[in-house]
Amino acid sequence: WMAMVILPLLLLLVPLAAAQWSSCSKSDDYKSNSTYVANLSLLSSTLPKKAASSTTLFATSIMGNFPDIVYALTLCRGDSNASACESRVTTAFQDLLRLCPYKKNAAVYYDPCMLKFSNKNFLATTTVNDPLFIVNTKNFTTNADITQRLLFTLINSMAQLAANSLRRFTTSRLDVGSSPTLYCLMQCMPDLIPHDCESCFQDILNSTLEYLGGKQGGRVLGTRCYMRYEMYPFFQGDPKLRIINLAPHVPTINNTTTPATVYPQSQPPDAAPPPEGKVTVQEHNGSYLGLYLE
């Protein structure tokens, strides 16, 4: 088991709309007329097209030179299409410049895509990094042991399949006896080799069991990989994998992450940003909380 590595970033997490989140660094500001702005502008005009023209709907780019260099990464979900990808990434740039003004380090997560840019090189990392946990406040009615086995079976069964696919992406449906039916989507960045992708998913598995256990739905959103599961279908097309057997037990998890803090939803998505370090979120199907590792 691979322990999750958490970078000590201080972020302001801002809800955009249903199932959309952004994060902004507290430091490393740029000026409105700086070279950094010009480099961001160039990226915003080239990265969406670059991602849309890729068979994996994924792109990275480096623009400019120190101290105004910008590193950027974007990924559209494996069940997206090229035109929707280009449009969403274009919108993501617009959102980040509006929601994280003058911040050199910013990221946004939508259901169909994510975008991150920074003045620091994060492109070489292979771990989850500064993850955001989104959890449904509703609990399973089954006992804790069964729910942990359900989540372990779900993610563990999908990891290798996703890691070895072209887009590093897969979906599944879990049907095991009288247990709740679960739907899951997992994806990592296509530039990761399968081994590193599986390791990233192991980080997600560890954290899911620790922080999302017992919940009817949840997500782990990271820079290099992410996962979402629900009790209802939420992705395009039929599941690529159907799981009908439950793991007999859950192995001991060696998780050395910083304890997560839970912040309950207290305002609608279009309200003012929450206090620093906190997150409020809303989901169209079920009540959610945000968890952020501080």
Side-chain angles (χ1 to χ4, degrees):
W1 295 91
M2 183 176 182
M4 179 185 289
V5 178
I6 305 297
L7 297 182
L9 296 178
L10 296 176
L11 300 174
L12 173 63
L13 296 165
V14 183
L16 299 176
Q20 302 173 9
W21 300 268
S22 70
S23 63
C24 318
S25 63
K26 291 176 62 178
S27 58
D28 293 328
D29 292 1
Y30 60 82
K31 296 181 179 179
S32 59
N33 59 347
S34 66
T35 304
Y36 198 87
V37 174
N39 290 335
L40 277 178
S41 179
L42 287 171
L43 278 173
S44 68
S45 65
T46 57
L47 197 65
K49 291 181 174 61
K50 185 177 179 181
S53 63
S54 166
T55 56
T56 57
L57 302 181
F58 166 76
T60 62
S61 189
I62 303 173
M63 192 69 66
N65 300 296
F66 182 83
D68 297 301
I69 192 168
V70 186
Y71 301 89
L73 175 153
T74 189
L75 174 68
C76 293
R77 218 168 71 178
D79 55 352
S80 299
N81 59 59
S83 60
C85 179
E86 181 175 354
S87 175
R88 179 58 74 181
V89 177
T90 299
T91 300
F93 268 107
Q94 296 169 353
D95 285 340
L96 280 185
L97 294 176
R98 175 175 56 86
L99 290 162
C100 302
Y102 311 118
K103 296 301 180 183
K104 290 186 175 181
N105 182 5
V108 63
Y109 296 92
Y110 302 89
D111 269 345
C113 83
M114 64 83 61
L115 168 70
K116 178 180 174 71
F117 62 75
S118 177
N119 62 325
K120 297 178 174 61
N121 187 1
F122 64 93
L123 300 178
T125 182
T126 60
T127 54
V128 174
N129 284 337
D130 54 286
L132 173 64
F133 299 89
I134 309 298
V135 296
N136 193 313
T137 56
K138 297 178 181 178
N139 293 318
F140 289 118
T141 56
T142 51
N143 66 59
D145 175 68
I146 294 296
T147 58
Q148 288 293 83
R149 288 167 61 193
L150 286 170
L151 292 178
F152 173 79
T153 300
L154 190 65
I155 299 173
N156 190 60
S157 299
M158 295 175 65
Q160 187 174 19
L161 180 62
N164 286 280
S165 67
L166 175 64
R167 291 190 175 183
R168 304 288 188 262
F169 166 85
T170 198
T171 57
S172 74
R173 171 175 170 161
L174 183 147
D175 292 293
V176 180
S178 59
S179 297
T181 297
L182 295 178
Y183 298 84
C184 186
L185 178 153
M186 292 171 60
Q187 187 168 15
C188 63
M189 301 302 145
D191 62 337
L192 294 181
I193 63 173
H195 175 269
D196 289 340
C197 184
E198 286 193 65
S199 294
C200 197
F201 287 147
Q202 286 181 352
D203 289 347
I204 282 182
L205 175 57
N206 293 352
S207 295
T208 298
L209 294 176
E210 182 160 352
Y211 299 118
L212 277 63
K215 301 301 181 181
Q216 290 186 8
R219 315 169 199 212
V220 181
L221 306 176
T223 302
R224 301 302 276 168
C225 62
Y226 63 89
M227 179 279 304
R228 178 184 178 186
Y229 75 92
E230 305 287 355
M231 292 181 66
Y232 54 87
F234 60 91
F235 44 77
Q236 298 294 319
D238 295 328
K240 298 180 181 298
L241 177 67
R242 186 183 178 198
I243 305 167
I244 59 174
N245 295 312
L246 190 63
H249 67 280
V250 177
T252 301
I253 303 300
N254 179 24
N255 196 347
T256 59
T257 63
T258 303
T261 303
V262 181
Y263 298 101
Q265 177 181 311
S266 58
Q267 58 191 31
D270 56 354
E276 289 187 353
K278 296 187 178 182
V279 59
T280 57
V281 298
Q282 187 173 30
E283 164 63 31
H284 70 280
N285 193 329
S287 301
Y288 276 78
L289 302 176
L291 296 83
Y292 177 53
L293 297 186
E294 298 183 304

